[in-house]
Amino acid sequence: GLGERIAALGGYTVVDKGDLAAPIPETRAARDPRKRYIREIARVCQRLYAQVYQSYAAGAFPLTLGGDHTLTWPILRAIRKHHGPVALIHIDAHADINDTMFGEKIAHGCPFRRAWEDGCLQNDRVFQIAPVCCDRQLGRQALPFLEPFRKLLESVESVVIL
């Protein structure tokens, strides 16, 4: 599996903590159809922040896979608390920098706005490769979609795709 492949890269010890417990949407009572599960998402974000931070505090390097875009924010908050603000390359169709989405600040279209507000990012070292939208007021650079890959790869010595 993936853990064995990562361990083989350099003798790392890999611990799979399994999936983060999250409610199954179909088991929840319906509310506003545009923000049906916002409370559950907020609770998952809180648990994820705690788990990522605890991993750093224990001397581990957390690797998170999958999930809604919203989950990026608590991960970046935990990294900031442990290491300080980070540089970021975000590749997606959308920049996910909305202030609110459906009237909510914790939503899949807002994680990088929240991370910026929380001081999680080294703003002069954040690059968003997002062809659909951009926001210069945050000081980020939204770049045309394909050209940045060529420029980034010119400065990288090796690339590992797992």
Side-chain angles (χ1 to χ4, degrees):
L2 179 59
E4 291 82 17
R5 291 174 67 190
I6 293 171
L9 291 174
Y12 300 104
T13 300
V14 177
V15 177
D16 183 350
K17 293 196 172 198
D19 294 339
L20 184 67
I24 299 170
E26 292 79 9
T27 67
R28 300 294 181 215
R31 292 190 284 272
D32 180 335
R34 294 177 303 162
K35 52 184 176 180
R36 292 178 286 201
Y37 310 111
I38 194 65
R39 291 183 192 116
E40 290 86 354
I41 291 169
R43 284 193 287 272
V44 168
C45 285
Q46 290 169 347
R47 288 196 308 271
L48 179 59
Y49 167 81
Q51 190 166 9
V52 171
Y53 183 75
Q54 289 167 1
S55 293
Y56 276 122
F61 178 84
L63 173 64
T64 59
L65 302 172
D68 177 280
H69 295 187
T70 311
L71 302 180
T72 308
W73 177 45
I75 294 166
L76 290 170
R77 284 179 50 228
I79 293 170
R80 182 211 64 219
K81 186 171 181 179
H82 190 76
H83 292 293
V86 297
L88 178 75
I89 300 171
H90 171 226
I91 304 169
D92 193 350
H94 303 94
D96 296 336
I97 54 173
N98 298 307
D99 184 37
T100 62
M101 194 165 202
F102 307 118
E104 299 293 335
K105 288 196 171 274
I106 300 174
H108 70 274
C110 308
F112 295 104
R113 170 77 58 139
R114 299 291 82 80
W116 175 71
E117 291 170 347
D118 282 348
C120 298
L121 305 172
Q122 296 176 14
N123 215 37
D124 60 337
R125 298 180 72 197
V126 172
F127 296 90
Q128 291 192 294
I129 302 168
V132 177
C133 61
C134 64
D135 187 342
R136 292 256 182 221
Q137 72 183 3
L138 295 181
R140 297 200 179 99
Q141 300 180 38
L143 306 172
F145 193 59
L146 295 176
E147 183 62 15
F149 290 112
R150 184 185 64 76
K151 289 181 180 179
L152 289 170
L153 291 176
E154 286 174 357
S155 64
V156 174
E157 293 181 20
S158 64
V159 175
V160 176
I161 299 174
L162 301 174

